[in-house]
């Protein structure tokens, strides 16, 4: 028996709170139980551009401290986008020939081995990606000898490169290493013109290429995790590949007027663009988190079909106002996090990076001689 009325009121209040708490807990448990499990780990980390340039001597080599900092900050993932000419031995004074596409340079391959080893020393999962594959790259700047989507010779070379990587790393666990087939499939009227009109690769062409490479990789190591990027530059989910033993990689660049504001490789007249806002109007349309939810809905549908989803690239060029970037970026990270989707920031150090981004509206922190964007790092760590 309660000694007085105040105690009774306290008891009833606590009982009500407890009941509400149990109800909320059950509701949350029900949501957790019905949420589809992502078949890929929720890796979180960064892209490293050491072999992004077709000329390996022009790559931006990562400092040894970078790997330790990533791990110390709670990240567990590195994506290595590679331009295939960076590990070939050929005459760089003229356009590459189909024969030269197969001339692997063991010295350069060992440099990639070393980069992967440094990641693994810090327990960082590595996603090896052909950013420029034989016959295709979403970026211009290198004359390809054929077309990956249309030419059998290009597809043969593409598979031969993946066979080389598969055999080279056969003894590395799939928990430590995955393969990302080809970066951001896209088809232009003129493949060597950055601003040539284009769009998604016809699905039957993409499937042919993806399945051929997948079969090659699996013939060497059946358990290797293999990832296919979204179509149309990475942003379009591809349910037509859902029956294959492939997971898929989305992007965090929508809408591009936020992520790529004044990017010269995207816009012909970047200086003419108005400053973006988030949420807010752009070209007579209002953009908000609701648009992001709609954008990622097809990717959530893939999860429901049992396809693992990871966001291999996301981030924002350094011309977007910093506060606009962070507001938009948190919406993306929050949506992906709610569905167990991990991320790889493009990039660790550079114009999109957490280090040395060159933004004019950031008070950088001196971090062992590097310029650290602490606000961005804190946001990333919130979802790490």
């Amino acid at each position: 028996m309660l000694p007085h009325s105040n105690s009774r009121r306290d008891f009833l209040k606590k009982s009500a709170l407890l009941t509400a708490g149990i109800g909320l807990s059950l509701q949350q448990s029900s949501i957790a139980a019905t949420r589809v499990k992502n078949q890929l780990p929720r890796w979180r980390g960064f892209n490293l551009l050491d072999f992004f340039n077709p000329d390996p001597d022009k790559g931006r080599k990562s400092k040894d401290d970078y790997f330790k900092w990533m791990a110390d900050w709670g990240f567990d993932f590195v994506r290595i986008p590679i331009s295939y000419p960076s590990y070939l031995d050929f005459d760089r004074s003229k356009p590459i020939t189909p024969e030269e596409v197969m001339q692997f340079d063991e010295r350069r391959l060992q440099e990639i081995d070393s980069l992967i080893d440094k990641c693994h020393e810090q327990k960082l999962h590595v996603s090896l990606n052909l950013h420029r594959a034989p016959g295709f790259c979403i970026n211009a700047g290198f004359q390809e000898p054929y077309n990956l989507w249309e030419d059998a010779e290009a597809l043969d070379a593409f598979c031969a490169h993946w066979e080389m990587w598969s055999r080279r790393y056969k003894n590395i666990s799939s928990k430590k290493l995955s393969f990302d087939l080809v970066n951001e499939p896209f088809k232009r009227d003129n493949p060597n013109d950055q601003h040539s009109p284009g769009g998604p690769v016809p699905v039957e062409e993409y499937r042919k290429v993806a399945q051929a490479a997948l079969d090659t990789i699996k013939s060497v190591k059946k358990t290797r995790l293999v990832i296919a990027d979204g179509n149309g530059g990475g942003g379009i989910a591809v349910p037509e590949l859902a029956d294959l033993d492939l997971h898929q990689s989305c992007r965090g660049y929508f809408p591009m007027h936020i992520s790529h504001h004044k990017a010269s490789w995207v816009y012909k007249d970047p200086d003419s663009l108005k400053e973006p806002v988030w949420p807010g109007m752009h070209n007579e349309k209002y953009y908000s988190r609701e648009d992001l939810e709609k954008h990622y809905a097809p990717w959530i549908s893939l999860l429901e079909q049992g396809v693992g989803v990871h966001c291999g690239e996301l981030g924002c060029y350094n011309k977007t106002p910093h506060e606009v970037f962070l507001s938009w970026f948190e919406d993306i990270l929050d949506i992906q996090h709610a569905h167990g989707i991990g991320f790889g920031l493009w990039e660790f150090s550079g114009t999109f990076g957490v280090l040395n981004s060159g933004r004019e509206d950031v008070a950088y922190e001196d971090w062992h001689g590097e310029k650290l964007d602490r606000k961005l790092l804190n946001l990333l760590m919130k979802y790490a």
Side-chain angles (χ1 to χ4, degrees), residues 5-19:
S5 57
N6 285 340
S7 296
R8 178 174 175 76
R9 283 195 296 271
D10 290 343
F11 172 78
L12 293 174
K13 182 178 179 181
K14 290 176 180 177
S15 297
L17 290 172
L18 179 61
T19 301

Side-chain angles (χ1 to χ4, degrees), residues 131-326:
H131 188 277
R132 177 174 291 279
F136 170 73
C137 184
I138 196 167
N139 299 118
F142 185 86
Q143 191 77 23
E144 290 295 333
Y146 35 39
N147 187 321
L148 176 60
W149 313 117
E150 298 178 356
D151 301 329
E153 191 175 9
L155 180 55
D156 288 345
F158 181 61
C159 291
H161 278 246
W162 276 120
E163 181 176 12
M164 181 274 294
W165 288 120
S166 299
R167 295 193 182 285
R168 191 173 190 88
Y169 298 140
K170 182 178 180 179
N171 295 324
I172 297 179
S173 166
S174 294
K175 293 181 179 179
K176 299 170 64 176
L177 179 72
S178 57
F179 291 156
D180 181 348
L181 294 178
V182 58
N183 183 72
E184 299 177 357
F186 197 80
K187 196 166 186 179
R188 286 193 172 91
D189 294 347
N190 181 351
N192 292 303
D193 179 359
Q194 189 71 39
H195 299 292
S196 176
V201 177
V203 170
E204 64 276 10
E205 294 181 12
Y206 188 13
R207 183 183 174 93
K208 175 189 66 177
V209 168
Q211 184 160 18
L214 175 67
D215 290 347
T216 298
I217 292 166
K218 293 288 187 175
S219 72
V220 177
K221 188 180 182 74
K222 189 175 182 180
T223 58
R224 178 69 64 206
L225 274 176
V226 185
I227 294 172
D229 282 10
N231 205 347
I236 302 174
V238 194
E240 295 86 352
L241 302 182
D243 61 311
L244 300 178
D245 189 11
L246 276 173
H247 302 293
Q248 294 191 31
S249 177
C250 64
R251 291 295 179 266
Y253 295 140
F254 175 83
M256 288 191 72
H257 75 270
I258 299 290
S259 65
H260 285 70
H261 179 58
K262 292 190 175 182
S264 61
W265 63 96
V266 175
Y267 300 101
K268 287 187 176 181
D269 187 15
D271 291 333
S272 68
L273 301 175
K274 295 181 180 179
E275 292 287 271
V277 293
W278 184 264
M281 296 293 297
H282 176 73
N283 288 346
E284 301 183 355
K285 173 176 169 50
Y286 186 82
Y287 287 87
S288 67
R289 180 179 172 122
E290 182 179 358
D291 294 282
L292 293 176
E293 297 276 6
K294 292 177 181 177
H295 175 75
Y296 286 108
W299 295 96
I300 309 311
S301 179
L302 280 182
L303 292 175
E304 294 167 352
Q305 296 176 62
V307 178
V309 175
H310 185 262
C311 185
E313 290 184 24
L314 76 175
C316 193
Y317 188 46
N318 65 5
K319 302 302 181 185
T320 300
H322 197 236
E323 293 306 315
V324 173
F325 161 38
L326 295 180

Side-chain angles (χ1 to χ4, degrees), residues 16 43 57-58 86 88 99 141 196 214 220 232 287 307 320-321 333 343 355:
W43 298 308
D57 292 328
K58 295 180 180 178
S86 71
L88 299 181
E99 293 74 26
S196 176
L214 175 67
V220 177
Y287 287 87
V307 178
T320 300
L333 290 171
F343 60 83
L355 294 177

